[in-house]
Amino acid sequence: MDLLKDADIDPAPLAGKRVAILGYGNQGRAQALNLHDSGIDVVVGLRGGSGSANEAQAAGLQVDLIENAVRSADVVMMLAPDEIHAALYREIEPHLREGAALGFSHGLSVRFGLLRARPDLDVYLIAPKGPGTALRSLYTEGKGMIALWAVEQDATGHAREIALAYGRAIGCARAGLIASSFAEEAEADLFNEQAVVWGGVPELLIAGFDTLVAGGVSPEVAYLECVGELHLIAELIEARGIAGMREVISNTAELGAFLGGKRIVDASVRRRMAEVLAEVREGRFAEELSQEEASGYSRLESARAQARETKLEETYRKLSGEDQ
Ligand SMILES: NC(=O)c1ccc[n+]([C@@H]2O[C@H](COP(=O)([O-])OP(=O)(O)OC[C@H]3O[C@@H](n4cnc5c(N)ncnc54)[C@H](OP(=O)(O)O)[C@@H]3O)[C@@H](O)[C@H]2O)c1
């Protein structure tokens, strides 16, 4: 694996260039501020009446309407939600400079053909592997967040060097940039969201909590056992790997994990994981996301409301003091 660090990357391809960041949300805010602090000429492009404009200006950033920001930029970074990319690209295409670079932090919209970039544009990916809040805090601590990089379209012959210089300027090359592709990044990310960290793990916690409560255990004890310990194992895995984590827990916990883990995550779970990956690759999730946006996010809103009404959430509020 080629892990590129600051010392391997020439920052010059971004010198004297202007970067337009479209969107000032989770990633937009972090990337705009990191670029600014790295000495890059940044403009944040927002729609008229955007509630984020004041915040970006107060942080010392230049803000303009999307159209003006795009017209003035050599590099344009799409940091609005993925399901908006198709419409946003249609809006900005007439204003993109000939030979400009168009960047993404997730491969979904390009991988699943929601947009097709003009042939004169460079198209690259810098996908930090974590949320924007952490991307920003790591940068201010002098550290960085690992990121995947890729080039989908190299119209000018300089796409690679612009992508890498961009990854360096937002601080990711302090930790390392790993070569990937839009397809690999999008498919792996969407798979993980559904099947592992963001989909599978919370459902496992909820199922464990419900099982203990149904078995007569108090909700508080069930919560502390099934949910409250998650950060401890996450920290241990980050610091030591999975095998190293097992070596530092008690023999009791280690034997329990050995006997129980594979019984719960059995062959049927792995089969459904393979189904999820196949569906992601067929573009079924990308279609669901577009439909969700078209419906005004109705399914997501009702899921959020339902999730807040569970016994588990009530217990969380009690234990965290949120209810007092
Ligand atoms: N969330 C993460 O930390 C994370 C991590 C890795 C990669 N990514 C990728 O980064 C990209 C941005 O994700 P995000 O989570 O940062 O997005 P986000 O927080 O939801 O983005 C919000 C921003 O997008 C703007 N926006 C929303 N709809 C728009 C529209 N129709 N036209 C123009 N601007 C619009 C909003 O403008 P207003 O201010 O006007 O509302 C706001 O500034 C995505 O490709 C995502 O997959 C995100």
Side-chain angles (χ1 to χ4, degrees), residues 66-128:
I66 290 173
E67 180 182 324
N68 299 337
V70 169
R71 246 198 245 113
S72 71
D74 307 285
V75 177
V76 173
M77 197 69 188
M78 292 279 259
L79 294 178
D82 298 293
E83 64 276 19
I84 304 298
H85 286 188
L88 184 57
Y89 180 74
R90 278 195 298 277
E91 182 187 331
I92 65 169
E93 194 185 56
H95 310 295
L96 282 160
R97 287 182 178 179
E98 175 86 19
L102 185 63
F104 296 81
S105 279
H106 182 32
L108 185 149
S109 50
V110 170
R111 158 66 180 87
F112 294 104
L114 305 187
L115 63 89
R116 300 228 181 275
R118 247 177 26 207
D120 61 285
L121 302 172
D122 289 339
V123 178
Y124 72 90
L125 175 79
I126 289 290

Side-chain angles (χ1 to χ4, degrees), residues 22-28 31 45-47 49-53 66 78-82 84-85 88 91 105-106 127-133 189:
L22 304 188
Y24 197 71
N26 204 323
Q27 281 294 317
Q31 294 191 25
L46 293 170
R47 51 191 169 178
S50 164
S52 315
I66 290 173
M78 292 279 259
L79 294 178
D82 298 293
I84 304 298
H85 286 188
L88 184 57
E91 182 187 331
S105 279
H106 182 32
K129 287 291 105 190
T133 42
D189 198 66

Side-chain angles (χ1 to χ4, degrees), residues 121-185:
L121 302 172
D122 289 339
V123 178
Y124 72 90
L125 175 79
I126 289 290
K129 287 291 105 190
T133 42
L135 180 71
R136 178 62 183 157
S137 59
L138 283 168
Y139 182 96
T140 57
E141 289 161 20
K143 300 182 205 151
M145 174 180 281
I146 205 155
L148 304 186
W149 75 275
V151 167
E152 179 78 7
Q153 193 165 292
D154 186 10
T156 66
H158 300 295
R160 178 184 191 276
E161 59 205 55
I162 288 175
L164 296 180
Y166 186 93
R168 188 184 197 275
I170 62 169
C172 291
R174 293 172 180 172
L177 301 182
I178 299 175
S180 183
S181 65
F182 276 69
E184 183 181 66
E185 189 278 336

Side-chain angles (χ1 to χ4, degrees), residues 274-285:
E275 282 167 19
V276 168
L277 180 59
E279 287 171 13
V280 162
R281 287 184 164 150
E282 285 162 13
R284 289 182 32 195
F285 178 76

Side-chain angles (χ1 to χ4, degrees), residues 267-312:
S268 73
V269 172
R270 286 171 182 258
R271 247 192 332 273
R272 287 194 298 283
M273 284 186 164
E275 282 167 19
V276 168
L277 180 59
E279 287 171 13
V280 162
R281 287 184 164 150
E282 285 162 13
R284 289 182 32 195
F285 178 76
E287 274 168 33
E288 293 270 359
L289 185 64
S290 297
Q291 281 166 19
E292 192 61 25
E293 192 265 331
S295 77
Y297 303 98
S298 53
R299 191 170 37 173
L300 280 182
E301 273 176 19
S302 75
R304 283 174 198 146
Q306 273 173 26
R308 279 192 291 270
E309 299 312 314
T310 60
K311 186 85 193 160
L312 186 147

